Structures are given as structure tokens and as C-alpha cells.
Amino acid sequence: MEFALHKLPVLVLLIPLFSFLVLSFFGRKLPRSGDWFATTLIFINLGFSLFILYSLTVLGKYEFNVEWFNLGENKILGITNFYAGFQIDHLTAIMLVVVNAISAFVHLFSVKYMEGDAKYKKYYAYLGLFTFSMLGLVLGNSILLMYVFWELVGVSSYLLIGFWYEKPAPQEAAKKAFIVNRIGDAGFLLGILIIFFTIGSFTFNGIFEGVAAGKLSGGMLTAAGILLFCGAVGKSAQFPLHVWLPDAMEGPTPVSALIHAATMVAAGVYLVARVFVMLSADALTVITYIGVITAFISATIALTQNDIKKVLAYSTISQLGYMIMAIGVGAYSFGFFHLVTHAFFKACLFLTAGSVIYGLHHVQDIREMGGLRKKMPITFYTFLMATLAISGVPLTSGFLSKDAILSATLAFGSINGGINYIVPILAFFVAGLTAFYMLRLLILTFLGEPRNKEKYDHCHESPKQMTIPLISLAVLSFFGFFSFNPLSGDGGWFLNLVKMPEHLLAGTKGFMYQLLPLEEYMEHVHHAHYTAMALSLIISGIGILTAFTFYYWKKVNVDKLADSIKPLYNFSLNKWYFDELYDKIAVSTTMGLSRMSAWFDNNIVDGAVNGASTVTRVFSKYNGLFDNIVVDGLVNLTGGIVGAFGLIFRKFQTGRIQTYIAFLLFGILIMYFVFRVM
């Protein structure tokens, strides 16, 4: 039994791969191009993942290894063999459940949403490949194996974002996502190389043991941590590499739910949580401020967006900033908690957005919506539940995780003091902005009067294949699935499983432990809990009330307000001009360098080659002329002279002996006179 449980993660990994292979080669022969086949497999996989999570209570943590490849005798590296395997701990098991759950609901939702698409079979095949990649990333027990699946996630996301590649926008979005992520991945790879050449191991346990033994410390440890974090900056769309994620909305809406909820963007958070114990104080400081800056910038952009998916996209970036910030301030269990709760309510938000788009026949502009609550009641109430969760309203899962993060930021500010208070200030401010723009989205989409009567009249509720996932995800956004205490997640199963580490590794004294031990740090967090909760409720309440004042009761003319602060409004509407800035700096510079390289190649390199060719041709030409005129001329002249003498002497060849005797005597006579003179 125990042996079978140890092998079960391999089965969980291979099932989506099997789905991908079957649909790729035999999809056309399956009923409905294999959609129900793939959906059934993923739901079975979800069941296996839940069983693995349960098995941890019986078996505890475990690991499985096989030899991956062997380098033979290698004096430089000192290592001859490398292992591939999986490790099952609470981080892994929870992520398996989350990834499979979101993937399963996306599969089911897509049955109707993608029905009739020309590439229907290919779509489900890509979903299987993407799920396989994410599960491999989560299960890997070495950072090298994680990197392999990390890149495979990038490839499969490229295929899904650019699924409708016949259109220009998805093409550009897919390329943008792929290229921007390569920047972060380059840093990730450098961090891996630093770790390997100093510690000599790729496995997480080997790395942690090496750091604890002092093989990697000081500035190199900080550099390695920050470089690893670069990978998370790319995948989890953190500042300044956040620009790819909103454009990824060009893919099918269920894909947006898959990428934005629990899979690709969560990979970066998972990476930082996985290596948390080896991160130095300086690395954690960088992580903290990158997280809070990302959360703030994205929240301010979401305020003015009019595309329903774009609002949710920037909301995702902002919430990812929250998670990264939480890990940075030392509360990695709270950050991971928010990853899980966010996965369910954000997937619900994206799928409800997909339901709206489906009901309105692919309208995404919220300025053409309004009044949809009557036409789409199930979609409305599920959207409402998820909106309350992301806004941090009590009785929701989002309230539990967000409150925990805000408590940690307050503790961080009180412990470190000074400029570090900017972290909790911005964190609370973002909480208010989140409540405002999410209620704005809800009101403009579902409440009030319809602003496009024609679209409204043809609108309808989505079929059950789409509403069942919505209802399921909305229910999972309720606090009771994570804690029986509606005001705190401390007594819930999640925070009992994912605990704060008792200590960091030797030489990696993080700043939350820099001034006091874990017990005192957690005491600061608990002490800040009720203050954070009160402030969060007040600030979120102000955000919700402001949204109703502006957009439902219309006490303020928002158009006039926008005109009065037009520079700020345009700054937000144009996304802080990051795309334009990158076009001017990065894209234009790259294109300029490319043009210079092309000119150098065409004119200098090719010119040198072509010049050498021309010289060779000219030399060959004149060499041919010299050969034809001079050499051949001399040869022909010599031949002519010889021929001429031959003709002359031919006349003396009479055949008479007396003639030859006369010539002989004449020759002897000439030689006599010559030798006599000499």
C-alpha cells in the first residue's frame, strides 16, 4: 500500500501527458474530438491529488529518486550522476490539488465555451500539455528538473496564448509573453549555475544542506537568491516584467483562468516559497519591495481599464504582488495561503467573465454592458462571491488570507521601523483600491441599466457545463473550506499544514528573524491581527462605498472627474506608459542594434566576402589572359619556329647519301675553324 502511494505522484504527472498524446494523434477519432475524454481524465487526476494530500497525514513527507543521467568521470564538477525524482510535502500536495482543480474546471467550462472552434481538438491537447508541465514543475525534487518543466510551461503557455494565431493580436501577445519570460528565466538559470558550482547539487535537500554547511554564503548567497527570484519576476509578472500578462488575455478566456489563477503565474510564487529558507536578508528585502511596488502599480492601472479581462489581469498582477510581498516580509505561509485562496476566486472571476463574454456574443467592453444581473443570475451571484473574496470581505477565503498578509506587513513595519512602514501603508492602500475597482467592474457589468440594448436583448445565461464550474469555485471562495473561524485562518487545516519554519538556514538570517526569534515575530503578527483586520475592513469599506457612489448612485460625474484629473487618468488608462517606454528603450534599441548588425553584416562582412570574391574573379580573369596570351603565345611561338626550321631542313632531306656526306664534311670544317679560333 505504501509503495503504491509512493508511485501515485508519477501517475498524477503522466495522466495529463497521456491526454495530450492521445488527443494529438487520435483526437479526431474520439467522440466530440476527445473533450469529455480529457475532462474525465483531469477530474480523475484531481481525485488522486486529493488522496495524495490526505496520505501525507499517514506517510508524512516522502521523496522518490531515479538516476537521470551520468557524466562519467568528471574531475571538474566532482559529480558523475544526476537524479530526477519527486518530493511530496505539504507545499507540493496542496499545489497538486490546486493545479488539477483549476484545470478540471477549465476543461469542463471549455466544453461549451470552445464548442465549434476549428482547432477544438488541439485546444484540449494543449490544456493537457500545460497541466503536465505545471505538475512536473511542482513535483520535481531538484531545481534543475524544475527549470526543465519551467521552460515547458513557457512553451505550452505560448501555444495557448497564441491559440488563435491567425489573428495579429494573439501572435504578438504570445511572442511578448515568451520573450519577456526569457529575460527572467536567464536570471533563474544563472542562479542555478551559481548554486551548482558552489554547492555541487541540484536537489533542494542538497542545496539546503550545502547552504547550512556554509558552502554558499554572504554576497554570493544573496546574488543566487535574487537571480532565482528573477525567474519568479518573469513567471509571476512582477515589476518590471509584468507587461506580458495583460496582453495574454488575447488567448481564449478559459486559458486566461488557467494561466492567471493557479498555474503559470503561481509558479513564481511557488518557487520563492520553495527556496524561502535559503534566502538572505538582503534578498528578502528586494523581494518585499518588488512585491509591494507591483501590487501598487497594477492596482492603480486596474482603476480605469474598460476591458473586463484587462481589469482582472491587472488585478491578478496586484494580488501576485501581495503574495510575493508576504514571502518577502517573512510570512511565506501567509503568501502561499493567499496563492491558494486566490486560485479559486480568481478562476471564478475569469470564468464568470468568460460566461459574460459568451452570453454577449464576445463583447468584452464593460461600457457596453450593464443590467446583466437579470439576464445572467447565476453568473452574477458567482461573480459577486468572488468579488467579495478578492475585496477581503468577512466570511470569504480572501478575507482570511489577505488579513494574514496585512498583519505580517504591520509586524514587519513595527519590527524594522523607519522607511519600512511604507510596506504596510501601500499594502492597505492597495486593499482599498482593489475593493474599489472590483466593485466598479461588478456595477458596470451587472447592475444599473443596459447600455447596449441590442446586446442586452440577445444576452442569455450560460449552459450548465459553464455554470457548474462557476458555482463550484464560488463555493470554494467561502471561508469554511479553509478555517472554521471566520475571522482568522490560524485554526484552519491550511495553516496547520503549511507552517512557518522554526529557523532559517545557517548564514541566511532573514530580517524578520534579524531582531527577534520566530516566536516573538509571530507574536508581533498576532498582536497586529485585530489592528490589521479593523484597518482592512475600514479601507475596503471605503473602496466599496466609493464605487457605489460613483457608478451606482452616480453622486459624482465620473466623466467630469476624469477630465479634471486628465493627466492622472490617462497615466492610469495607458498603464503608466510602460509599453511605450519599453518600445522606446528596449524594442527600439534592439531594433536599432539589429539594423546596425544587419548593415554591418551586409556591408562589412558580406562586403569583405564579396570583395574577396571580386578580387579572385579579377585575378582569375587576368591570370587567364596571361595564360592565353603570354604562356600559350610563347609555346605557340616556339612551336612555330620549330615548325619553320622543320620545313627548311626538310628540304635537305633528299635521301641521297652523297648529300649527307657533304653536310657532314661541311660541319666538320666549321667546327675546325671554331675550335681553332678559341
Side-chain angles (χ1 to χ4, degrees), residues 69-192:
F69 58 91
N70 195 310
L71 296 178
E73 295 294 329
N74 196 306
K75 296 180 180 181
I76 298 175
L77 297 177
I79 293 179
T80 60
N81 51 2
F82 296 86
Y83 293 91
F86 60 77
Q87 60 179 2
I88 299 298
D89 58 13
H90 296 121
L91 287 183
T92 303
I94 291 170
M95 282 297 294
L96 288 180
V97 172
V98 171
V99 171
N100 277 303
I102 302 302
S103 181
F105 289 132
V106 167
H107 273 73
L108 180 58
F109 185 90
S110 301
V111 168
K112 289 300 290 185
Y113 189 90
M114 295 298 293
E115 190 176 38
D117 193 280
K119 301 189 291 290
Y120 193 62
K121 176 206 67 131
K122 187 180 292 185
Y123 171 81
Y124 272 94
Y126 288 167
L127 288 184
L129 178 63
F130 190 94
T131 306
F132 163 73
S133 306
M134 268 304 303
L135 293 175
L137 187 154
V138 169
L139 282 167
N141 68 340
S142 75
I143 200 163
L144 179 61
L145 193 61
M146 175 185 275
Y147 184 78
V148 171
F149 281 101
W150 187 278
E151 293 300 323
L152 191 56
V153 166
V155 172
S156 52
S157 67
Y158 173 83
L159 296 174
L160 286 169
I161 294 169
F163 182 74
W164 289 318
Y165 56 81
E166 62 276 4
K167 304 175 186 176
Q171 293 178 24
E172 294 300 320
K175 287 190 291 185
K176 188 175 183 178
F178 193 81
I179 293 170
V180 172
N181 272 276
R182 296 293 73 73
I183 298 171
D185 294 352
F188 186 16
L189 181 59
L190 287 174
I192 293 173

